[in-house]
């Protein structure tokens, strides 16, 4: 599959199948660079259910029960810990609200996009 760069950010590209790709290996400094407004809008367009709220990547998930919501949080917690990138989140019964930002970078970075993408996968 050919990757066509539609942005100047070295970690964010759009592939021919319109999915957001993060090429590896990653440069640690680039992961701490906030996305530009255009890069962020491009990425959000590929993240079902996510928006920007108060300068953070934001989404609320709803599950059939508290147990399913808690299971989702447990699974995402393992992913977040492995990535060393932890969400701000809130749970009430069957709802989980997540806000993502990279505090060290002062904004939304590719790390937040990656975690949002993984959250969407786990919520299926």
């Amino acid at each position: 599959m050919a990757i066509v760069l539609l942005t100047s950010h070295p970690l964010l590209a759009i592939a021919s199948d319109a999915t957001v790709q993060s090429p590896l290996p990653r440069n640690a400094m680039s992961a701490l660079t906030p996305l530009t407004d255009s890069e962020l809008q491009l990425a959000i367009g590929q993240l079902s259910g996510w928006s920007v709220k108060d300068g953070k990547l934001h989404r609320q998930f709803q599950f059939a029960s508290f147990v399913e919501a808690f299971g989702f949080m447990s699974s995402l917690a393992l992913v977040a810990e492995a990535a060393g990138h932890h969400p701000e989140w809130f749970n009430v019964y069957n709802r989980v609200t997540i806000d993502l930002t990279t505090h060290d970078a002062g904004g939304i970075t590719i790390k937040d996009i990656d975690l949002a993408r993984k959250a969407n996968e786990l919520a299926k």
Side-chain angles (χ1 to χ4, degrees), residues 22-40:
S22 300
L24 295 177
R26 295 184 186 186
N27 178 319
M29 285 304 291
S30 295
L32 291 178
T33 303
L35 299 175
T36 66
D37 288 340
S38 60
E39 292 166 341
L40 183 55

Side-chain angles (χ1 to χ4, degrees), residues 42-101:
L42 187 63
I44 288 174
Q46 304 302 316
L47 290 171
S48 177
W50 290 87
S51 63
V52 175
K53 181 178 177 184
D54 299 325
K56 299 174 184 177
L57 203 52
H58 174 84
R59 179 166 181 192
Q60 179 173 288
F61 292 90
Q62 187 163 338
F63 300 91
S65 67
F66 172 74
V67 171
E68 287 185 29
F70 192 85
F72 165 77
M73 290 178 73
S74 297
S75 296
L76 190 57
L78 296 173
V79 171
E81 183 65 18
H85 191 60
H86 305 94
E88 297 175 14
W89 54 10
F90 184 74
N91 166 244
V92 175
Y93 182 58
N94 66 339
R95 292 178 315 230
V96 177
T97 303
I98 301 176
D99 289 304
L100 299 172
T101 187

